[in-house]
Amino acid sequence: MKYKKSITTLVLVIACLAFVATIVGIFASGGAGPKEIQTLHDEVITLHGKGLYQFDSVSGASQVIAQDIVTLCLSIPLLLLSLIWYKKGSIKGRLMLVGTLSYFLYTYASYAFLLMYNPLFLLYVILLSASFFAFTLVMVSFDYENLHTYFHNNLPTKLIGGFLFSLSFLLLFLWLGRIVPPLVNGGVPVGLEHYTTLVIQVLDLAFIVPVAIVGGILVLKRNGIGYLLATILIVKGITMLTAITAMIINQARAGIPMTVMEYALFPVFNIVVIYCLYVLLKHVQEPRIPGGIMDENTNLVRN
């Protein structure tokens, strides 16, 4: 398999550093406690005041701590299991690996650009860099000419394509609904607090929404690249939606007001995306020749 050693090294670096980052994020203590401040937009918010995220808002810190818990308990084990599966020459393992790496790329891009500066800043930068290069190497390792042959012809493309379109429209509805009214009225978007810009909305609208739309179209056309994009978004969706569900729970515990839609929609979407992953992997067929498994150049190797 192409770039196997480099990918393995990068994945192990990501797993180790993410373990350190999450443990510190979850268990770090200290700080003066919650503190009210006035933002540049004359909004009064409460800082978390404790641990690694003491300079983030109560809402922001509760979300990041919840995401750290999901990263520690779900995403790191999934990354390592995917690596083991990938090293055995499995297409399913490679698909799971690239999808899980997309979660780490997205997560540490948001940490590096969004969070208030803290002692783990350089660790976030290294994790972002390692995730980017590992993701890129796995992406270029696929045999794109034969990618469509890795999936059975009876894959329910309408289900997968419909999910991708639903994901894109959901994100558009949520984020434009938050961004456009303040632009028209001259106000400040809900959730900006003392941060400089809406980093999550930037990542979703600039990358996730277009990829979901293009992926949905290509899946309906039974294009192999569409299947790959769908797998990436679905695996990332499982880890990310699990994190969002945990964020909602943690925000509720912290007394942050949430809408009924937020309480219900994301957990339901989480269940749907898990089912979509099951359907996708069920219809993956490993390319083989008699007595052989995948090879570095041809995707097939002899024993």
Side-chain angles (χ1 to χ4, degrees):
M1 290 175 286
K2 293 181 180 179
Y3 316 117
K4 183 177 179 180
K5 289 184 179 179
S6 298
I7 291 169
T8 300
T9 301
L10 286 169
V11 167
L12 292 177
V13 168
I14 292 166
C16 292
L17 296 184
F19 178 81
V20 173
T22 55
I23 290 295
V24 175
I26 296 167
F27 296 108
S29 58
K35 174 185 177 182
E36 287 191 347
I37 64 167
Q38 187 169 5
T39 72
L40 293 174
H41 301 284
D42 295 325
E43 180 183 3
V44 176
I45 66 160
T46 303
L47 299 182
H48 184 58
K50 298 178 290 184
L52 183 66
Y53 308 120
Q54 59 184 293
F55 299 115
D56 289 280
S57 66
V58 170
S59 172
S62 64
Q63 293 179 63
V64 179
I65 291 170
Q67 184 156 359
D68 281 341
I69 293 171
V70 172
T71 300
L72 178 65
C73 298
L74 173 64
S75 302
I76 293 175
L78 186 59
L79 182 68
L80 295 175
L81 287 172
S82 299
L83 177 64
I84 293 169
W85 208 357
Y86 159 77
K87 291 181 69 175
K88 291 180 178 179
S90 167
I91 284 293
K92 291 180 182 178
R94 197 184 306 194
L95 291 168
M96 290 293 295
L97 183 61
V98 74
T100 309
L101 283 169
S102 71
Y103 167 84
F104 283 90
L105 177 57
Y106 181 99
T107 295
Y108 288 105
S110 63
Y111 278 38
F113 293 121
L114 174 62
L115 295 183
M116 299 299 289
Y117 180 84
N118 68 48
L120 294 190
F121 175 74
L122 284 179
L123 198 62
Y124 300 151
V125 174
I126 296 170
L127 279 163
L128 172 58
S129 178
S131 300
F132 171 78
F133 287 109
F135 176 81
T136 302
L137 289 177
V138 179
M139 284 292 287
V140 300
S141 73
F142 284 98
D143 176 8
Y144 286 93
E145 288 185 6
N146 297 308
L147 192 56
H148 67 284
T149 65
Y150 301 159
F151 295 83
H152 289 289
N153 290 330
N154 60 351
L155 174 69
T157 54
K158 290 182 179 179
L159 170 67
I160 303 301
F163 169 77
L164 294 180
F165 290 133
S166 298
L167 174 65
S168 64
F169 295 146
L170 171 64
L171 291 175
L172 278 173
F173 175 77
L174 283 175
W175 297 151
L176 292 183
R178 177 177 294 190
I179 296 168
V180 173
L183 288 177
V184 174
N185 301 327
V188 179
V190 174
L192 181 61
E193 298 182 317
H194 64 315
Y195 300 101
T196 57
T197 192
L198 301 172
V199 173
I200 299 301
Q201 287 74 14
V202 170
L203 294 174
D204 286 352
L205 293 174
F207 298 105
I208 304 303
V209 169
V211 170
I213 293 173
V214 172
I217 293 170
L218 293 178
V219 164
L220 293 179
K221 292 183 175 181
R222 297 191 176 276
N223 182 290
I225 295 177
Y227 296 154
L228 175 58
L229 294 178
T231 307
I232 291 171
L233 288 177
I234 286 171
V235 175
K236 177 195 173 295
I238 289 176
T239 50
M240 202 69 238
L241 285 167
T242 302
I244 291 172
T245 301
M247 291 176 193
I248 291 171
I249 294 171
N250 211 30
Q251 282 183 290
R253 290 178 62 242
I256 307 298
M258 308 287 292
T259 67
V260 174
M261 179 177 288
E262 289 172 315
Y263 274 121
L265 195 58
F266 287 107
V268 169
F269 239 68
N270 204 355
I271 294 170
V272 173
V273 76
I274 290 172
Y275 177 71
C276 287
L277 178 63
Y278 164 77
V279 171
L280 260 178
L281 294 182
K282 181 182 176 182
H283 289 84
V284 171
Q285 50 189 6
E286 302 288 352
R288 293 183 179 275
I289 59 173
I293 57 174
M294 300 206 330
D295 166 31
E296 182 172 308
N297 298 313
T298 64
N299 282 341
L300 296 169
V301 68
R302 294 111 193 130
N303 287 336

